[in-house]
């Protein structure tokens, strides 16, 4: 009986639907808006003063043909410059505290209670040092970068960026709101992938998902900053090195945007053919942010994220690295075997086996790339006098020291540049891959999104390496 | 067929806990379930944060929240579960983001739905509010961003608005905590039935359409007596909403006992 | 350092090695590129190798269109039009006669009752699928026809009917052609080619023919829409000049005859002041008259949800760096739209 009822209803609905015709939805929406307008007329008082005049003036400037783009670049530059300059000092302090004071203390405690060497190594040299290192290097820049970014977000600037850039997105067959999801990707690619839900049409949304990885994330900014400071900042007199490293980090971020456009264009010409269906973006009014409150909440938020990720990802990775550097098979450790195996290809494309291995270890989280590289380099070279032994993350409180180790590991300017490039162009981290699968529900697109950037990374590093070798000799 | 009319038990939760489980919301030991709906960027997440003390992300652009967030608070000894929904412009189109919000209000049947609106853009916000009022008759309008409205010289007569809509209206400025105590109190009163709502119904000028909605509504009411939103379901059926059609086929609108 | 030198044993200097690697890389890329091109060709080729059933259905369709135009054809015309070899065609015709789909009558081929029904069913699927593509996907107009050509041979009767229900039992396809009913009835559309109108006539666009593609592309590029009102300014053997939605158009006659129009009587003509939102300059104000019927499905709903409703006041607030998208103010909110969408919103400018 129940089922009959349902069928009755559905049948009647079908018939009536045919009767009311195709304009039904239009009439309904018009009806609702008419009601809304009538109610509003009765309860709202707008006095005659010109509203939003300041907003309009600001919009005229921020979206003008002449100033729109320079202002965008300028704002990003200022934020990065403050980050790079400002992070130095707290980073050093944290490193001193965590690695120079607490680390020996823990070691002391361990030996005083007679902990076996392998447990002590596993816990303190593996887990604790990885944790400490990630916190010292990652936390300060991110705790400076993101509060500033959040201020912009709260002010209402991001939709203007999407508005300005939409023309380019349209030309590459993508959606202007991709600018917003990209910005979210700067915090975390997984969050950026989820944010693509604001894009209505499935085709453009897929493009946004696949290209989100070209936004440097939380775990990659600090890598860029550190390598830029060591290898590129050092090319110029010390007075300008801060500026130089800022410029090169901005360059990488811009290159990421360029690759995002290129990939969007390629995808919409090949696998994801089609036209952009709709683009409608509401530009919210500017709202002055509550400065200190925003800074405070964003700071706490970032700190918690970095600490949490350090605990969940860096600590186990530290353990894995320590183990692989201490378990020997035949005459070499597991780590050595793998490095040896990948080194030829690595060097060929201007990287090396250590870097490639580090990127495999760092699939769960990009944060641990640099600590892994340093530690494996030390272990692989058996550098005497640096570090505390195989698979131990050493104290890194000065960039000079890091540089010394890397140079001993055979690093050149080319390795530095290519590491920066590869850090931009490689597979997304495992969380992001999982998120992509959840959002697309398709193994095919998850695979494309994961593998495409690595291939691009290899190709770009290869090209740069060969050209560098031809030019520099 | 067993049906229990919901006001037979004043204190029983109205929300549909089986459906809520299916939607992935855990309502164990919650006395009331409250949903936060509204246009994008009207401060829903800010209201959510003010009510729960959590730190859901906010940002001045439409679409900051795209997934449902959950939190809770205690008020007058009742534990309230609060759900922050993604902002939507309407519940009539069937895009994915709207579906999250729409399904929650329709199938989850929260005890109270708080509709957050931007006081300086009332007209466009009412478009959604009126649609929500077709789905549920237990709602509170949170007239948020009052400070911004004042800054731009827009004044709203909240009492007149409340009369026109048939639901309580609470002016607020969530970021500064203004109006939050009143909002808590109003939610409580609506949830416990102390305030009864008589929501506004959408008027459509076309006779033919009205007739069609009425015909369908009658049939639906015969099948689902006591369901507050048969008229809305009728409207959706006339629009060929596949999801609602399936729900009818699978008998998902039966009131839970 | 370690010995990672297999390649460098052959080529001694590192610079040489780098150079040759680059050369090899370029060769590989070129090769891959040409392989891609070849694959594209294969796709086109397989597109021509239609299945046996598809060929029969195409013949039926062709015959239906010919008969609807009041003409008749022989085998040679058919094989030419459908690019099927004469020999193959002979076999097919024989088979179809046996199936009682067609009859031959003095060198000419005509449809039987059953053949006509079959043809209408294929056309029904074709037009429904175009309707589906226009309503539910963002696929370009230019691709609708080709995709429907494939799909018409694939959908089963049940799939077709559930598609019909899902789309709300549409009567017309997005080009303005009537969709045959399941019982094989076709609504008669009274329209004439645009070239048939005299100077000064006012008409509404009813149908835009999507074949041949080159002509269709030209019409689409001009942004002419079904449902738009137009007024002929000049018409001779070679050209038609007319106004529509505030723009002036001049089309060669061979293009114009692919547009079918319905002439409007005196009382049906209204809103001559209709122009497109995209023509509204910075600072100008207007009132929305409606959204063109060319804007459908989700895109249309989205615009309406945002408040683009008949009667709404609208103003171009600022143009942005490229004048595309532009920001419009309506109901106290700024909404940015791309120009191709603004083209589909019709407005009446406010007298200043
Ligand atoms: N001045 C002022 N700003 C507010 C108030 N409430 C919220 N905001 C700001 O408005 C912006 C939007 O707030 P959200 O809470 O993110 O809005 P939402 O409704 O959750 O938005 P979506 O998640 O995009 O749907 C943020 O920048 C808030 O800081 C208020 O009462 N006064
Ligand atoms: Mg929110």
């Amino acid at each position: 009986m129940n089922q009959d009822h349902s069928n009755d209803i559905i049948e009647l609905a079908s018939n009536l639907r045919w009767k009311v015709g195709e304009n039904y939805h239009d009439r309904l929406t018009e009806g609702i808006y008419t009601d809304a307008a009538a109610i509003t007329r009765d309860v709202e008082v707008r006095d005659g003063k010109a509203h939003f005049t300041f907003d309009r003036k600001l919009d005229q400037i921020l979206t003008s043909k002449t100033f729109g783009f320079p202002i965008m670049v300028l704002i990003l530059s200022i934020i990065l410059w403050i980050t790079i300059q400002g992070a130095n000092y707290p980073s050093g302090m944290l490193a001193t505290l965590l690695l120079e004071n607490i680390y020996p203390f823990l070691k002391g405690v361990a030996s005083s209670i007679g902990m076996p060497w392998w447990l002590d190594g596993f816990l303190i040299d593996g887990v604790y040092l990885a944790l400490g290192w990630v916190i010292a290097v990652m936390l300060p820049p991110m705790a400076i970068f993101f509060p500033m970014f959040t201020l912009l977000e709260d002010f209402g600037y991001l939709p203007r960026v999407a508005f300005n850039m939409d023309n380019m997105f349209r030309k590459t067959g993508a959606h202007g709101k991709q600018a917003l999801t990209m910005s979210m990707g700067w915090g975390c690619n997984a969050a950026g992938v989820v944010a693509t839900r604001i894009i209505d049409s499935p085709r453009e949304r897929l493009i946004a998902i696949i290209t989100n990885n070209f936004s440097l994330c939380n775990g990659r900014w600090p890598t860029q900053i550190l390598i830029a400071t060591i290898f590129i900042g050092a090319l110029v007199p010390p007075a300008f090195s801060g500026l130089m490293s800022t410029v090169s980090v901005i360059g990488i971020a811009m290159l990421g945007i360029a690759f995002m456009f290129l990939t969007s264009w390629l995808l919409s010409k090949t696998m994801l053919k089609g036209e952009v269906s709709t683009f409608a973006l509401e530009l919210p009014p500017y709202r002055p942010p509550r400065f200190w409150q925003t800074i405070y909440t964003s700071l706490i938020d970032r700190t918690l994220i970095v600490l949490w990720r350090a605990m969940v990802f860096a600590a186990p990775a530290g353990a894995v690295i320590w183990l692989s550097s201490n378990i020997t098979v035949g005459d070499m450790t597991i780590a050595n075997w793998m490095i040896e195996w990948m080194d030829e290809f690595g060097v060929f494309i201007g990287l090396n086996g250590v870097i490639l291995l580090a990127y495999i270890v760092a699939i769960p989280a990009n944060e641990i790339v640099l600590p892994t590289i340093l530690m494996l380099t030390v272990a692989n070279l058996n550098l005497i006098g640096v570090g505390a032994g195989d698979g131990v993350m050493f104290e890194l409180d000065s960039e000079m020291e890091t540089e010394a180790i890397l140079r001993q590991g055979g690093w050149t300017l080319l390795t530095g540049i290519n590491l920066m490039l590869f850090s931009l162009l490689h597979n997304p981290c495992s969380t992001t891959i999982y998120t992509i699968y959840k959002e697309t529900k398709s193994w095919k697109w998850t695979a494309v999104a994961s593998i495409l950037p690595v291939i691009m990374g290899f190709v770009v590093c290869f090209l740069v390496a060969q050209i560098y070798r031809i030019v520099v000799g | 067929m067993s049906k229990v009319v919901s006001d037979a038990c004043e204190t029983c939760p109205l929300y549909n806990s089986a459906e809520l489980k299916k939607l992935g919301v855990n309502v164990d030991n919650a006395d009331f379930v409250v949903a936060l709906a509204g246009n994008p960027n009207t401060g829903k997440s800010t209201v959510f944060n003010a009510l729960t003390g959590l730190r859901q992300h906010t940002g001045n652009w439409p679409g900051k929240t795209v997934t449902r967030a959950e939190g809770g608070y205690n008020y007058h000894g009742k534990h309230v579960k609060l759900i922050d929904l993604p902002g939507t412009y309407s519940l009539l189109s069937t895009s994915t983001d709207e579906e999250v919000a729409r399904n929650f209000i329709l199938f989850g049947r929260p005890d109270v739905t708080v509709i957050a609106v931007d006081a300086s853009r009332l007209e466009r916000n009412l478009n959604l509010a009126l649609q929500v009022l077709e789905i549920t008759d237990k709602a509170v309008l949170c007239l948020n961003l009052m400070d911004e409205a004042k800054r731009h010289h827009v004044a709203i007569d909240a009492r007149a608005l409340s009369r026109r809509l048939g639901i309580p209206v609470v002016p607020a400025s969530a970021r500064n905590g203004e109006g939050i105590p009143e909002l808590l109190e109003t939610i409580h009163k609506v949830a416990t039935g102390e305030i009864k709502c008589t929501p506004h119904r959408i008027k459509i000028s076309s006779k033919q359409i009205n007739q069609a909605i009425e015909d369908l509504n009658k049939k639906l009411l015969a099948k689902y007596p006591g369901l507050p939103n048969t008229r809305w379901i009728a409207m959706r059926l006339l629009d060929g909403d596949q999801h609602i059609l399936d729900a009818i086929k699978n008998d998902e609108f039966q009131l839970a006992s | 350092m370690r010995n990672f030198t297999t390649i460098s044993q052959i080529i001694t200097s590192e610079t040489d090695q780098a150079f040759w690697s680059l050369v090899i890389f370029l060769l590989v890329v070129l090769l891959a590129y040409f392989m891609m091109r070849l694959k594209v060709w294969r796709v086109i080729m397989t597109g021509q190798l239609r299945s046996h059933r598809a060929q029969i259905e195409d013949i039926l369709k062709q015959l239906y269109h010919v008969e609807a135009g009041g003409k008749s054809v022989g085998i040679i015309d058919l094989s030419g039009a459908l690019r099927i070899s004469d020999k193959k065609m002979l076999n097919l015709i024989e088979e179809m006669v046996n199936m009682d789909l067609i009859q031959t009558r003095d060198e000419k081929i005509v449809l039987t009752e059953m053949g006509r029904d079959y043809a209408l069913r294929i056309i029904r699927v074709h037009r429904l699928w175009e309707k589906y593509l226009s309503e539910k996907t963002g696929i370009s107009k230019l691709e609708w026809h080709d995709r429907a050509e494939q799909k018409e041979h694939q959908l089963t009767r049940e799939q077709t009917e559930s598609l019909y229900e899902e789309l709300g039992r549409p009567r017309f396809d997005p080009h303005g052609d009537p969709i045959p009913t399941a019982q094989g009835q076709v609504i008669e559309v009274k329209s004439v080619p645009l070239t048939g109108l005299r100077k000064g006539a006012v008409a509404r666009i009813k149908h835009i023919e999507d074949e041949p593609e080159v002509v269709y592309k030209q019409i689409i590029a001009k942004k002419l829409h079904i449902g738009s009102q137009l007024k002929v300014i000049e018409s001779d053997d070679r050209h038609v000049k007319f106004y529509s939605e505030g723009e002036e158009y001049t089309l060669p006659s061979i293009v114009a005859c692919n547009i079918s129009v319905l002439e409007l009587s005196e009382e049906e003509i209204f809103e001559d002041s209709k122009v497109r939102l995209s023509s509204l300059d910075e600072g100008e104000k207007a009132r929305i008259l409606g959204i063109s019927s060319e804007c459908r499905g989700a895109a249309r709903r989205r615009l309406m949800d945002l408040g683009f409703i008949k009667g709404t006041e609208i103003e171009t607030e600022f143009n942005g760096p490229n004048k595309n998208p532009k920001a419009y103010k309506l109901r106290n909110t700024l909404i940015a739209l791309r120009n191709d969408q603004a083209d589909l919103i019709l407005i009446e400018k406010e007298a200043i």
Side-chain angles (χ1 to χ4, degrees):
Chain A
M1 178 243 154
N2 227 345
Q3 210 47 48
D4 287 357
H5 250 302
S6 299
N7 290 340
D8 264 12
I9 291 170
I10 290 167
E11 186 49 39
L12 179 66
S14 277
N15 288 332
L16 286 173
R17 197 177 158 204
W18 163 258
K19 224 187 262 167
V20 296
E22 297 188 3
N23 281 335
Y24 168 74
H25 189 89
D26 291 15
R27 292 292 99 76
L28 185 61
T29 317
E30 280 165 15
I32 301 172
Y33 260 112
T34 313
D35 264 13
I39 296 175
T40 310
R41 250 198 320 277
D42 287 353
V43 304
E44 183 185 85
V45 184
R46 279 174 186 264
D47 74 9
K49 276 188 199 146
H51 317 302
F52 297 101
T53 39
F54 170 72
D55 280 35
R56 283 310 78 80
K57 282 220 183 74
L58 197 57
D59 270 332
Q60 298 282 5
I61 299 169
L62 292 182
T63 67
S64 85
K65 200 175 177 65
T66 340
F67 300 114
F69 283 91
I71 289 177
M72 273 160 36
V73 177
L74 189 72
I75 290 180
L76 179 63
S77 312
I78 293 174
I79 292 185
L80 278 176
W81 191 75
I82 297 178
T83 306
I84 292 174
Q85 295 296 318
N88 253 334
Y89 181 68
S91 262
M93 269 195 357
L94 277 174
T96 314
L97 177 72
L98 294 173
L99 308 175
E100 265 176 36
N101 297 337
I102 298 184
Y103 171 70
F105 170 75
L106 287 177
K107 282 296 242 191
V109 171
S111 69
S112 72
I113 59 169
M115 211 184 250
W117 73 269
W118 50 269
L119 187 61
D120 156 24
F122 180 83
L123 284 181
I124 300 173
D125 296 336
V127 176
Y128 172 77
L129 272 185
L131 197 73
W133 207 96
V134 168
I135 292 172
V137 176
M138 299 286 152
L139 187 53
M142 295 301 95
I144 296 175
F145 184 82
F146 284 101
M148 286 196 284
F149 197 78
T150 314
L151 277 181
L152 274 186
E153 189 183 339
D154 261 354
F155 180 56
Y157 184 60
L158 294 193
R160 271 74 188 177
V161 173
F163 177 73
N164 284 343
M165 290 177 73
D166 179 63
N167 194 39
M168 290 197 274
F169 281 105
R170 187 172 51 83
K171 286 184 178 152
T172 52
H175 196 290
K177 284 186 184 168
Q178 202 172 315
L180 295 171
T181 63
M182 251 175 50
S183 312
M184 293 302 104
W186 277 357
C188 166
N189 292 138
V193 168
V194 177
T196 61
R197 290 187 188 185
I198 57 171
I199 299 174
D200 287 332
S201 93
R203 190 190 73 92
E204 283 105 81
R205 182 160 175 232
L206 260 178
I207 294 180
I209 289 178
I210 295 170
T211 56
N212 195 271
N213 188 44
F214 297 121
S215 294
L216 286 173
C217 67
N218 201 5
R220 292 187 275 168
W221 285 110
T223 310
Q224 298 289 355
I225 293 173
L226 189 67
I227 297 293
T229 314
I230 293 176
F231 285 94
I232 302 187
L235 293 176
V236 294
F240 300 106
S241 72
L243 197 66
M244 185 70 188
S245 13
T246 310
V247 170
S248 55
V249 174
I250 291 168
I252 291 285
M254 295 288 169
L255 195 69
I257 295 173
F259 267 98
M260 185 266 309
F261 278 125
L262 179 73
T263 315
S264 303
W265 180 79
L266 281 175
L267 284 171
S268 54
K269 283 276 168 286
T270 55
M271 277 188 275
L272 289 166
K273 261 199 184 136
E275 266 186 0
V276 174
S277 40
T278 51
F279 168 79
L281 173 73
E282 181 186 337
L283 299 170
Y286 293 104
R287 291 177 186 151
R290 297 231 304 197
F291 191 82
W292 291 112
Q293 196 192 17
T294 306
I295 297 263
Y296 173 77
T297 40
S298 172
L299 191 86
I300 299 287
D301 199 55
R302 258 317 123 177
T303 309
L304 288 180
I305 288 178
V306 173
L307 288 182
W308 183 79
R309 284 184 66 91
M311 302 258 274
V312 175
F313 295 113
V320 169
I321 297 164
W322 186 84
L323 287 176
S324 66
S325 307
N326 282 280
I327 299 175
T328 46
V329 178
D331 55 349
M332 285 197 293
T333 63
I334 297 176
N336 280 358
W337 276 112
M338 295 186 68
I339 292 168
E340 199 85 326
W341 181 62
M342 288 186 292
D343 205 50
E344 189 173 318
F345 177 68
V347 170
F348 178 59
I349 61 169
L351 297 167
N352 58 41
V354 170
I355 296 176
L356 293 182
L357 178 58
Y359 270 97
I360 293 174
V361 175
I363 285 176
N366 280 296
E367 282 91 337
I368 52 180
V369 166
L370 261 192
T372 312
I373 288 174
L374 289 171
M375 195 216 67
L376 288 174
T377 308
V378 175
N380 201 38
L381 291 175
N382 277 322
L383 287 182
I384 315 290
V386 198
D390 284 356
V392 175
M393 300 222 189
F394 39 84
E395 303 90 79
L396 175 100
D397 44 1
S398 79
E399 275 146 14
M400 305 273 273
E401 207 170 323
T402 315
E403 184 181 356
I405 293 163
L406 292 178
R407 293 226 186 263
Q408 285 192 62
W411 285 50
T412 59
L413 177 59
L414 173 65
T415 328
I417 293 175
N418 270 1
L419 176 60
M420 285 174 80
L421 289 171
F422 196 68
S423 157
L424 175 72
L425 304 169
H426 69 90
N427 56 291
C429 71
S430 56
T431 317
T432 307
I433 295 178
Y434 176 62
T435 312
I436 292 175
Y437 176 69
K438 270 202 312 197
E439 294 293 314
T440 59
K441 302 251 174 7
S442 141
W443 286 114
K444 180 185 151 204
W445 292 117
T446 312
V448 170
S450 312
I451 295 167
L452 194 69
V454 199
I455 296 175
M456 289 185 139
F458 283 149
V459 170
V460 168
C461 285
F462 163 80
L463 289 177
V464 170
Q466 308 319 322
I467 291 167
Y468 180 92
R469 281 170 191 150
I470 291 172
V471 174
V472 181
Chain B
M1 280 204 294
S2 72
K3 255 164 268 134
V4 179
V5 185
S6 61
D7 52 6
C9 155
E10 275 291 301
T11 48
C12 284
L14 173 73
Y15 64 80
N16 187 343
S17 78
E19 270 298 330
L20 283 171
K21 276 232 178 69
K22 210 156 74 189
L23 290 167
V25 181
N26 181 9
V27 285
D28 292 348
N29 69 47
D31 295 306
F32 300 120
V33 174
V34 175
L36 256 167
N39 274 30
N41 207 29
T42 52
K44 292 177 298 300
S45 301
T46 312
V47 171
F48 177 88
N49 291 347
L51 290 176
T52 59
L54 293 173
R55 266 199 321 275
Q56 172 72 3
H57 288 199
T58 64
N60 188 9
W61 53 281
K64 177 77 195 184
T65 312
V66 285
T67 53
R68 250 179 9 216
E70 297 168 30
Y73 64 87
N74 290 310
Y75 190 74
H76 284 337
K78 298 280 184 203
H79 183 68
V80 179
K81 180 116 199 169
L82 189 64
I83 319 285
D84 182 19
L85 296 172
T88 60
Y89 290 102
S90 147
L91 299 174
L92 295 175
S93 315
T94 32
S95 65
T96 28
D97 55 332
E98 287 180 7
E99 240 160 44
V100 177
R102 202 272 307 271
N103 288 352
F104 190 84
I105 306 176
L106 185 61
F107 298 112
R109 283 191 230 123
D111 294 282
V112 184
T113 304
V114 177
I115 309 165
V117 301
D118 177 347
S120 53
R121 306 182 153 56
L122 189 60
E123 185 181 330
R124 84 166 34 254
N125 281 258
L126 282 182
N127 172 44
L128 178 82
L130 293 178
Q131 294 175 33
V132 174
L133 291 188
E134 286 286 341
I135 304 184
T136 172
D137 50 6
K138 292 184 119 191
V140 177
L141 193 87
C142 173
L143 202 52
N144 193 30
L145 290 149
M146 284 302 278
D147 56 329
E148 284 287 303
K150 207 165 289 155
R151 200 160 69 86
H152 293 297
H153 307 281
V154 181
I156 308 270
D157 182 348
R159 296 175 76 204
L161 183 60
S162 168
R163 265 199 310 278
R164 293 294 299 262
L165 294 178
I167 55 166
V169 172
V170 183
S173 174
R175 204 170 70 175
N176 311 317
E178 286 159 29
I180 297 299
E182 292 83 347
L183 186 60
L184 281 169
E185 181 63 24
T186 315
I187 293 174
H188 184 76
K189 281 187 176 155
V190 174
T192 53
E194 208 173 309
I195 297 180
K196 285 252 183 290
C197 305
T198 46
H200 174 97
R201 296 284 140 155
I202 297 168
K203 286 187 275 299
I204 297 151
S205 52
S206 155
K207 281 215 182 67
Q208 192 197 18
I209 293 179
N210 267 327
Q211 192 56 47
I213 294 176
E214 270 328 301
D215 288 354
L216 205 50
N217 191 13
K218 248 182 244 141
K219 259 227 151 69
L220 284 161
L221 265 179
K223 177 160 184 189
Y224 306 110
L227 195 68
N229 46 26
T230 46
R231 191 171 116 102
W232 191 80
I233 295 173
M235 288 179 183
R236 295 311 299 145
L237 285 177
L238 285 180
D239 218 351
D241 187 324
Q242 202 59 44
H243 202 107
I244 302 289
L245 266 171
D246 292 343
I248 295 266
K249 276 185 198 144
N250 304 332
D251 227 14
E252 278 174 50
F253 288 111
Q254 211 59 258
L255 275 179
S257 50
Chain C
M1 299 270 277
R2 281 176 311 279
N3 49 339
F4 42 81
T5 43
T6 33
I7 302 174
S8 36
Q9 274 157 5
I10 310 160
I11 304 163
T12 40
S13 111
E14 204 183 36
T15 318
D16 277 3
Q17 180 196 332
F19 176 76
W20 287 111
S21 316
L22 270 182
V23 170
I24 293 169
F25 175 78
L26 281 178
L27 287 178
V28 171
V29 169
L30 273 177
L31 193 72
Y33 177 74
F34 281 113
M35 301 249 294
M36 286 266 292
R37 291 291 294 265
L38 281 179
K39 206 170 133 205
V40 171
W41 278 114
R42 254 216 324 275
V43 171
I44 293 172
M45 306 253 288
T46 49
Q48 287 189 347
L49 294 177
R50 276 162 290 183
S51 77
H52 187 64
R53 188 179 132 199
Q55 282 178 335
I56 290 183
E57 292 177 349
D58 284 345
I59 295 174
L60 288 172
K61 227 172 43 160
Q62 183 72 16
L63 282 171
Y64 174 80
H65 285 306
V66 169
E67 288 181 8
K71 294 191 204 104
S72 56
V73 284
I75 291 189
I76 308 292
D77 312 323
L78 264 186
S79 46
L82 295 171
R83 275 169 294 158
I84 297 173
S85 74
D86 289 350
K87 196 165 144 249
K88 183 100 210 270
M89 185 56 96
L90 270 175
N91 291 337
L92 282 168
I93 295 291
E94 199 186 316
E95 192 186 337
M96 287 166 74
V97 170
N98 288 339
M99 287 160 78
D100 202 16
L101 292 171
I102 52 174
Q103 290 169 350
T104 48
R105 219 177 272 162
D106 344 313
E107 304 283 297
K108 298 291 179 200
I109 304 166
V110 291
L111 287 170
T112 62
E113 194 65 20
M114 209 164 98
R116 212 182 103 89
D117 272 0
Y118 196 161
L120 279 171
R121 225 187 70 217
I122 302 301
I123 293 169
R124 175 174 164 80
V125 180
H126 182 101
R127 294 187 177 162
L128 270 175
W129 194 252
E130 287 191 340
K131 178 80 178 166
Y132 167 80
L133 291 176
S134 71
E135 288 269 335
K136 309 270 172 171
T137 69
I139 289 164
S140 150
K141 271 182 194 181
L142 293 171
E143 283 181 41
W144 292 346
H145 181 77
D146 287 344
R147 284 177 186 246
E149 282 287 284
Q150 304 277 323
K151 209 72 188 180
E152 65 189 17
H153 306 302
Q154 292 161 6
L155 286 195
T156 64
R157 204 179 275 261
E158 293 79 58
Q159 283 170 325
T160 312
E161 290 323 303
S162 74
L163 183 68
Y164 178 61
E165 286 299 326
E166 192 191 328
L167 293 172
R169 306 186 186 180
R171 282 176 262 204
F172 293 94
D173 81 354
H175 304 293
D177 284 321
I179 297 173
T181 63
Q183 290 73 39
Q185 278 142 346
V186 193
I187 306 171
E188 206 56 60
V189 185
K190 287 175 288 190
S191 57
V192 292
L194 177 52
T195 41
L197 290 183
R198 77 212 129 62
K199 184 177 164 187
V202 178
R204 173 160 303 142
I205 300 180
K206 274 306 218 192
H207 170 70
I208 299 176
E209 182 55 49
D210 59 358
E211 275 180 308
E213 202 187 326
V214 259
V215 176
Y216 184 56
K217 260 189 185 158
Q218 274 190 50
I219 300 175
I220 294 304
K222 296 267 188 197
K223 298 184 180 167
L224 283 165
H225 311 310
I226 289 171
S228 303
Q229 185 171 306
L230 57 82
K231 181 171 184 172
V232 180
I233 310 168
E234 250 175 59
S235 179
D236 56 34
D237 297 347
R238 282 169 300 133
H239 293 285
V240 182
K241 196 165 160 188
F242 59 94
Y243 261 126
S244 178
E245 294 175 352
E247 323 269 321
E248 191 183 301
Y249 297 90
T250 310
L251 290 182
S253 294
I254 38 162
V255 176
C257 69
N258 270 16
I259 300 175
S260 308
V261 294
L262 189 67
E263 195 168 345
L264 301 176
S265 60
E266 205 68 42
E267 52 282 14
E268 284 174 301
I269 303 168
F270 63 105
E271 291 160 358
D272 223 352
S273 47
K274 244 185 208 178
V275 291
R276 295 170 182 173
L277 179 57
S278 48
S279 70
L280 194 69
D281 265 338
E282 201 169 288
E284 279 187 319
K285 286 186 184 162
R287 210 164 47 82
I288 295 180
L289 293 175
I291 303 177
S292 158
S293 55
E294 196 81 352
C295 175
R296 315 175 178 84
R300 184 185 189 86
R301 289 168 179 221
R302 183 45 42 116
L303 284 178
M304 298 201 78
D305 290 343
L306 286 169
F308 290 88
I309 304 275
K310 201 158 129 188
T312 309
E313 304 268 331
I314 189 163
E315 179 181 350
T316 305
E317 195 73 26
F318 49 91
N319 276 335
N322 305 91
K323 296 204 165 186
N324 185 13
K326 294 181 190 167
Y328 303 97
K329 183 171 162 189
L330 73 163
R331 296 175 197 259
N332 297 308
T333 308
L334 283 180
I335 308 274
L337 288 186
R338 287 180 180 171
N339 289 346
D340 49 0
Q341 278 170 291
D343 276 339
L344 298 175
I345 297 171
L346 302 173
I347 53 165
E348 181 179 44
K349 289 195 190 175
E350 250 165 45
I352 305 157

